[in-house]
Structures are given as C-alpha cells and as structure tokens.
Amino acid sequence: MRTIGLIGGLSWESTVIYYQIINQRVRERLGGSHSANSLIWSVDYTTVEELIFADRWAEVGALLAAAGGKLERLGAELLLICSNTFSRVNEEVERAVGVPVLHIADAVGAEVRARGMRKVGLVGTAFTMEQPFYRDRLAAQGLEVVVPRRGQRELVHRVIFEELVRGVLRESSRDAYAEIIGDLAGEGAEGVILGCTEIELLIGAKDAVIPVLPSARLHAEAAAGLALGG
C-alpha cells in the first residue's frame, strides 16, 4: 500500500471527508481493521484565502508546493490537493515533487464518463466556475460543462466562503442550491459536479433532481484505489 499525502486545510471541514473516505475504502478492500497509510499537511486557511482573493496565485503555488515537498520527504508516495479551487496550482506542486499529484478534476471526469454523461453542471467557488483551469480540464476529457447564471454564481460563492468553510449549514442555502441545480438540469445537465469540497457538507443526492457528483468523495476514492494498486 502506497502512503497518501493530503494537502488539506482548504478548508479542514472538507479534509475530514478525505480522511474518512480513504480509510473506509481501504478497509472495504482489505477487510478487518485495515486503514490507509496517510499523512496530512493542513494549512492555515485564512492565509491562503487572503492570497486567492488578492489574486496572488504564484504565492499559493509556492506555499502548496512546499507542503507537498514536506509530505514527500515524510514518505508520501501519492499527493492530493484536497480542493477544487486550489487545484489551479496542481501543476506547480507536480513540478516541485517527484511523486504523482492526483488532480481532482481527473477523478471527477472519470466518474462522469463512467456514468455515460457528456453534459454536466458545475457549482463551486467563482474561481472554479468562471476561470478556465477546471472547466478546460473537463473539456479535455470530452465533457461539456455548464455553470449557473451570474447572480446564482455569486450566491453559490458567498455561501461557500461565508458559511460552509466555517461549518455553518443553513436550510435556506440548501434550498437555494437545490433550485440552482434544478435550473442546470433545465439547461440539459445530466448531473451536477459539487465542485467545491465543502458543498458536500450541505448537498446530497436527495437535494437534487439530477445525480450529484461529489468531488471530494470521488477524489478520495480514486486516491485509495491508486494507493492499493488499482
């Protein structure tokens, strides 16, 4: 079993999902009381949040690359950036280390294609919905991606940063997200990517009229499979 290195704290609320899912999948595969060989480097979220809102992505890349290097030196043989938004610097981390860095959009795209979908909705931070780094990665896999309207994107973004990363779950926000997902379905989306790992704390399959694709869970499951040689 390869040791998984998690670059987390982006935010820690969703890093918990990664740790739980990875260990569950390893136990399912190996049985008994098995769990994953893993390491977590959890950053202070306020630090990186301030950088992304100041458009200082080079500094974000350097910070997460340093975290990846530390994990590699501690024995990690496979790395994950536990975030959709921060996957923007996935390549910077890859260049700084000598081990694979599993991109979250690749794990999500593989699941979308496995389900036979070709057109999917995407909800996440404004960075993920509006900048090309994530949508282009999915488009390269032959997928068409649709995002909410501008006002809806602003609502999705605000809820993430004002509520979800702080562990606040509001029924009104769940209802608003469900309505937005319904609109994406109306535009032909066959499923919706929960393209911010914290959204999985708020939205589940019962809240959507189309299948949900939980990015953190899919990323974690892919990592467990790779660690076990799958």
Side-chain angles (χ1 to χ4, degrees):
M1 184 194 316
R2 285 195 279 180
T3 298
I4 300 171
L6 302 174
I7 302 174
L10 304 166
S11 67
W12 71 260
E13 301 281 351
S14 60
T15 304
V16 172
I17 297 173
Y18 278 84
Y19 187 71
Q20 181 181 47
I21 296 301
I22 287 169
N23 282 291
Q24 286 176 344
R25 293 298 171 266
V26 168
R27 184 170 59 191
E28 288 169 5
R29 280 276 300 273
L30 301 182
S33 56
H34 281 286
S35 57
N37 293 330
S38 62
L39 298 162
I40 300 175
W41 188 272
S42 189
V43 305
D44 178 0
Y45 187 67
T46 294
T47 301
V48 290
E49 184 180 61
E50 290 174 352
L51 291 174
I52 62 174
F53 277 99
D55 201 30
R56 293 159 61 184
W57 285 97
E59 292 173 61
V60 174
L63 190 153
L64 298 191
K70 290 171 184 175
L71 288 168
E72 183 181 21
R73 289 192 293 276
L74 289 169
E77 300 164 283
L78 168 68
L79 296 178
L80 286 77
I81 299 174
C82 300
S83 168
N84 291 275
T85 297
F86 290 91
S87 70
R88 174 169 164 168
V89 299
N90 207 88
E91 292 182 3
E92 286 86 332
V93 177
E94 283 181 323
R95 289 195 294 267
V97 299
V99 297
V101 185
L102 178 60
H103 200 295
I104 190 168
D106 292 345
V108 171
E111 177 67 13
V112 173
R113 289 183 284 110
R115 294 193 188 197
M117 299 175 183
R118 285 294 174 265
K119 184 175 183 178
V120 289
L122 171 65
V123 291
T125 68
F127 306 104
T128 302
M129 291 186 289
E130 296 174 0
Q131 296 180 12
F133 68 92
Y134 197 89
R135 291 181 287 109
D136 285 357
R137 189 100 181 184
L138 294 170
Q141 300 176 58
L143 304 176
E144 181 182 353
V145 179
V146 291
V147 299
R149 299 187 301 272
R150 180 175 178 178
Q152 293 177 326
R153 295 199 303 270
E154 291 172 351
L155 184 148
V156 170
H157 181 85
R158 177 183 57 76
V159 167
I160 290 168
F161 285 102
E162 294 182 8
E163 299 174 22
L164 301 185
V165 300
R166 301 176 185 179
V168 177
L169 304 177
R170 292 184 176 145
E171 196 65 32
S172 58
S173 296
R174 179 179 288 110
D175 291 343
Y177 271 49
E179 182 178 345
I180 290 168
I181 292 169
D183 287 348
L184 291 172
E187 293 182 41
E190 302 165 89
V192 61
I193 298 168
L194 305 184
C196 172
T197 52
E198 283 82 14
I199 294 177
E200 292 166 55
L201 302 170
L202 183 69
I203 295 294
K206 63 181 177 56
D207 303 305
V209 296
I210 50 178
V212 298
L213 298 144
S215 58
R217 176 177 292 273
L218 295 172
H219 201 197
E221 289 176 344
L226 286 173
L228 292 169

